[in-house]
Amino acid sequence: GENVEQHPSTLSVQEGDSAVIKCTYSDSASNYFPWYKQELGKRPQLIIDIRSNVGEKKDQRIAVTLNKTAKHFSLHITETQPEDSAVYFCAASRYSSASKIIFGSGTRLSIRP
Amino acid sequence: DAMVIQNPRYQVTQFGKPVTLSCSQTLNHNVMYWYQQKSSQAPKLLFHYYDKDFNNEADTPDNFQSRRPNTSFCFLDIRSPGLGDAAMYLCATSRDRANRGPHTDTQYFGPGTRLTVL
């Protein structure tokens, strides 16, 4: 069945440095790739998403890149801050009335002061 | 203002005693989802409603049922909770603006209901 692999499972970076989280998906028909941030004890919240007709999208310190040929997409956070500490989930889905969403297993990001 | 509201925030039930969790939304979104999330894991989709159409995931146990009486409200019924059903239950909504299907636009999550089974 469809699968999304996410790496690394934990990531610790120095405040101010960049963080990169990578995901690989198996369903070549996937069109939509959201990233959700979940702080401890809180709800997941969308931080950025990308669709298959775009290779890169940026929103301030956050960017996502998509390589459809290789079937992988990555989250880039620059100039990390303590409030970036959270669990990040990638996901993939396709445009279909029978669409499924497949989540990655999550990355726990810690920002060291 | 809260957009996706879940009640209660914490629910304690006894093994085998039915429980109902509720979700309401003020976003007028046509899709509503129920997820189960256990500690340190990704949310696991149980089912979703696309308008009035109910869509069950293949691996969702029969013990879990859902109702959506109107656009704004959706309920999760657990008929006979087991110890393994203790988890955070998240409701989410989205609007399928471009008729692409469910899961193809931003999902707005509620704060969750933490279920404890004694």
Side-chain angles (χ1 to χ4, degrees):
Chain A
E2 293 91 353
N3 186 43
V4 173
E5 292 190 2
Q6 184 172 346
H7 298 282
S9 56
T10 60
L11 179 61
S12 177
V13 302
Q14 192 75 35
E15 182 178 351
D17 288 350
S18 297
V20 180
I21 302 171
K22 299 181 179 181
C23 289
T24 304
Y25 59 98
S26 60
D27 181 5
S28 57
S30 295
N31 310 97
Y32 178 62
F33 308 91
W35 285 90
Y36 287 89
K37 173 184 179 182
Q38 188 172 26
E39 295 177 58
L40 188 63
K42 297 194 174 179
R43 74 192 79 187
Q45 288 191 298
L46 183 85
I47 53 170
I48 197 165
D49 57 11
I50 192 167
R51 300 188 184 274
S52 56
N53 59 342
V54 175
E56 184 174 359
K57 185 176 178 181
K58 201 170 183 180
D59 182 4
Q60 299 182 342
R61 297 186 297 109
I62 295 172
V64 56
T65 58
L66 172 65
N67 183 327
K68 282 169 34 180
T69 304
K71 292 190 287 187
H72 70 69
F73 57 113
S74 300
L75 177 71
H76 305 253
I77 306 174
T78 58
E79 300 172 19
T80 52
Q81 300 169 4
E83 53 265 36
D84 295 328
S85 294
V87 178
Y88 291 80
F89 294 101
C90 64
S93 67
R94 61 158 76 178
Y95 298 163
S96 165
S97 60
S99 176
K100 304 287 183 187
I101 188 165
I102 311 295
F103 281 90
S105 53
T107 295
R108 183 174 299 279
L109 175 63
S110 301
I111 308 301
R112 302 191 304 271
Chain B
D1 289 339
M3 297 182 289
V4 182
I5 301 162
Q6 290 188 243
N7 285 302
R9 296 291 309 279
Y10 300 90
Q11 176 73 58
V12 180
T13 191
Q14 291 181 329
F15 183 94
K17 186 174 180 181
V19 66
T20 294
L21 311 181
S22 75
C23 177
S24 63
Q25 53 133 336
T26 59
L27 298 164
N28 201 31
H29 284 173
N30 62 327
V31 194
M32 293 187 78
Y33 312 83
W34 278 104
Y35 290 90
Q36 178 192 67
Q37 187 177 32
K38 297 189 176 181
S39 184
S40 302
Q41 295 181 19
K44 179 180 183 299
L45 182 66
L46 297 173
F47 25 59
H48 75 270
Y49 273 94
Y50 191 104
D51 295 323
K52 294 181 180 179
D53 294 333
F54 177 70
N55 297 270
N56 199 26
E57 293 300 300
D59 57 354
T60 298
D62 292 340
N63 198 25
F64 292 87
Q65 304 284 321
S66 186
R67 296 169 283 135
R68 188 179 187 186
N70 54 53
T71 301
S72 301
F73 284 86
C74 196
F75 299 96
L76 170 61
D77 300 309
I78 308 176
R79 293 193 297 189
S80 182
L83 297 179
D85 297 328
M88 177 71 81
Y89 290 88
L90 294 163
C91 173
T93 74
S94 70
R95 182 196 300 277
D96 184 14
R97 291 177 289 183
N99 203 31
R100 298 184 182 110
H103 311 296
T104 57
D105 216 318
T106 308
Q107 292 193 23
Y108 293 84
F109 285 84
T113 295
R114 182 164 295 284
L115 179 68
T116 300
V117 182
L118 301 177

